[in-house]
């Protein structure tokens, strides 16, 4: 059931969390499927609903800085500098965990991923629940992340009772995940916070940014984030074999081909990366719901949020390679 984000409904959802049940809730990146992050039985319900392999660790969502110290150890000054600057926001920090966080949340890892989301409904829900909320994206394992309550309902509606509505996710791609090392900061997943913004704030710290395609965050598979329809980049498709009536096109800023495809989407007419990121999953959901057999996607310039967008598209394409 989709619930309007009234005070009453947020309190109702918070009671569910406290009672050990799962609730889907909005964040600025994508919708999350939340449970009490200190209750292992409650967290196990997330894996059940998502069909997710339990070796895949979850992000713990907090609503104020004091909770960061409850769940994790802070051992570098740059951790607080980044949190103060970018929270609430699309940045997840991987830190040594404290005992309060059970192993099921971290899949047995000694570290916990923590984030303060920039969405009023999420923040109130966490505050009213009185506990950090463990949540993955609210999609079935291996499918597209949801950026609206309707996306969640479509995938998980028959398995969960409460979906708090909070409109369309304004960022639209998952958070940037980083880990700290003596020698610098490691990007585990490019996401909603551009890596350039991190580099600008702490120029003295080295940013270790490997190949964004290799799975560095545990459980990040090469073919994650895939729509149910086959996806290819334009430059990888054999143009003689394409049937326009059975194909959807995903362009960056303008239509590139004269061909009229069955469905066409332009991520941002003005070439604005933020708008493109916010539209990415929405358009992929729309395209997979059109009667087509193939999605052709244009490559996006890999700067700023373009890195996260290309990461998601490449993973989607990998599923069908
Ligand atoms: O924007 C987001 O991050 C969204 C919203 C709901 O907050 N959440 C999200 O969660 O994308 P999920 O479960 O779909 O992806 C979490 C990623 C996984 O790839 C996982 O491997 C990584 O976080 N992760 C979690 N704990 C980790 C840890 N201790 N060390 C390294 N990676 C970790
Ligand atoms: Mg996910």
């Amino acid at each position: 059931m989709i619930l309007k984000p009234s005070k009453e409904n947020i309190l109702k959802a918070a009671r569910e969390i406290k009672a050990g049940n799962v609730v889907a809730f909005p964040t600025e990146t994508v919708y999350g499927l939340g449970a009490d992050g200190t209750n292992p039985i409650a967290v196990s319900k997330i894996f059940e609903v998502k069909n997710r392999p339990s070796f895949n660790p979850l992000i713990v969502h907090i609503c104020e800085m004091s909770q960061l110290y409850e769940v994790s150890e802070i051992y570098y000054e740059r951790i607080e500098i980044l949190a103060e600057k970018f929270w609430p926001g699309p940045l997840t920090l991987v830190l040594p965990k404290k005992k309060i966080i059970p192993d099921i949340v971290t899949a047995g890892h000694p570290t916990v991923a923590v984030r303060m989301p920039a969405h009023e409904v999420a923040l109130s829900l966490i505050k009213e629940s009185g506990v950090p909320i463990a949540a993955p994206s609210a999609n079935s394992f291996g499918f597209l992340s949801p950026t609206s309550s309707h996306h969640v309902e479509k995938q998980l509606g028959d398995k969960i009772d409460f979906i708090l509505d909070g409109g369309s996710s304004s960022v639209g791609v998952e958070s940037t995940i980083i880990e700290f090392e003596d020698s610098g900061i490691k990007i585990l997943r490019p996401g909603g916070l551009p890596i350039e913004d991190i580099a600008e704030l702490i120029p003295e710290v080295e940013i270790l940014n490997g190949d964004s395609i290799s799975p560095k965050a545990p459980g990040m598979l090469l073919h994650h984030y895939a729509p149910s329809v086959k996806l290819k980049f334009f430059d990888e498709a054999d143009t003689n074999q394409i049937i326009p009536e059975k194909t959807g096109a995903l362009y960056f800023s303008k239509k590139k081909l004269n061909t009229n495809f069955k469905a066409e989407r332009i991520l941002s007419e003005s070439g604005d990366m933020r708008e493109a990121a916010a539209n990415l999953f929405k358009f992929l959901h729309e395209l997979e719901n059109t009667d087509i057999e193939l999605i052709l996607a244009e490559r996006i310039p890999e700067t700023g949020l373009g890195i996260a967008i290309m990461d998601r598209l490449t993973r989607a394409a990998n599923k069908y390679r």
Side-chain angles (χ1 to χ4, degrees):
M1 186 186 6
I2 294 180
L3 302 174
K4 289 262 154 276
S6 61
K7 187 79 201 170
E8 203 175 74
N9 283 337
I10 291 173
L11 288 172
K12 188 183 205 166
R15 279 197 299 275
E16 287 296 309
I17 296 280
K18 278 190 272 197
N21 295 320
V22 299
V23 169
F25 64 97
T27 86
E28 82 283 25
T29 57
V30 301
Y31 275 64
L33 182 64
D36 176 351
T38 64
N39 175 345
I41 306 285
V43 172
S44 74
K45 295 180 185 170
I46 295 175
F47 293 108
E48 202 177 296
V49 169
K50 274 199 69 141
N51 256 330
R52 183 180 213 182
S54 53
F55 49 76
N56 209 343
L58 307 176
I59 295 174
V60 166
H61 297 73
I62 60 172
C63 64
E64 55 197 20
M65 280 301 277
S66 61
Q67 273 183 321
L68 177 65
Y69 304 100
E70 284 168 28
V71 301
S72 62
E73 306 281 353
I74 307 303
Y75 56 106
Y76 290 127
E77 199 192 352
R78 55 197 133 111
I79 297 171
E80 274 153 324
I81 294 175
L82 286 166
E84 296 285 353
K85 171 79 180 178
F86 295 119
W87 279 355
L91 174 67
T92 295
L93 309 176
V94 172
L95 300 167
K97 83 172 189 76
K98 284 197 175 157
K99 266 220 183 81
I100 186 173
I101 298 299
D103 280 337
I104 186 171
V105 171
T106 66
H109 289 272
T111 51
V112 61
V114 192
R115 171 168 118 78
M116 192 190 293
H119 197 296
E120 280 314 315
V121 177
L123 293 171
S124 319
L125 176 67
I126 302 164
K127 194 167 176 19
E128 297 300 342
S129 304
V131 288
I133 295 186
S137 48
N139 52 285
S140 291
F141 178 69
F143 288 83
L144 284 177
S145 290
T147 54
S148 76
S149 54
H150 295 286
H151 293 162
V152 181
E153 192 174 45
K154 194 180 88 184
Q155 289 195 27
L156 305 177
D158 55 346
K159 294 187 186 153
I160 56 177
D161 293 333
F162 298 100
I163 304 169
L164 266 181
D165 180 38
S168 292
S169 298
S170 60
V171 173
V173 288
E174 298 87 346
S175 59
T176 300
I177 305 180
I178 63 174
E179 185 177 66
F180 297 87
E181 295 186 347
D182 285 342
S183 57
I185 285 176
K186 214 188 215 167
I187 309 288
L188 298 181
R189 176 177 74 183
L193 180 70
I195 294 159
E196 292 91 331
D197 291 13
I198 298 173
E200 197 179 324
L201 184 69
I202 41 174
E204 70 285 3
V205 174
E206 191 191 356
I207 296 194
L208 310 160
N209 182 24
D211 168 13
S212 69
I213 298 315
S214 66
K216 279 161 298 186
M220 253 185 92
L221 304 176
L222 287 173
H223 55 260
H224 246 137
Y225 309 105
S228 54
V229 174
K230 183 173 183 156
L231 184 144
K232 277 187 178 179
F233 289 107
F234 275 104
D235 53 25
E236 291 179 335
D238 179 352
T239 37
N240 297 322
Q241 304 258 323
I242 291 165
I243 310 162
E245 306 76 51
K246 288 281 174 197
T247 303
L250 185 67
Y251 293 111
F252 174 44
S253 61
K254 55 177 176 289
K255 196 173 145 114
K256 286 275 159 60
L257 299 183
N258 287 328
T259 316
N260 283 319
F261 295 104
K262 169 95 181 248
E264 299 182 329
R265 295 288 184 284
I266 294 175
L267 286 170
S268 168
E269 305 254 357
S270 61
D272 176 49
M273 285 293 185
R274 286 195 181 188
E275 190 185 15
N279 282 330
L280 177 69
F281 287 125
K282 175 170 181 271
F283 288 173
L284 287 174
H285 278 281
E286 288 171 5
L287 289 173
E288 76 170 9
N289 284 334
T290 309
D291 180 26
I292 52 174
E293 286 164 4
L294 175 69
I295 296 170
L296 287 177
E298 187 184 350
R299 292 182 190 274
I300 310 291
E302 287 188 72
T303 58
L305 289 175
I307 297 174
I309 298 173
M310 270 303 284
D311 174 80
R312 306 305 186 266
L313 287 175
T314 306
R315 277 176 214 284
N318 279 343
K319 180 167 178 186
Y320 302 103
R321 278 193 176 125

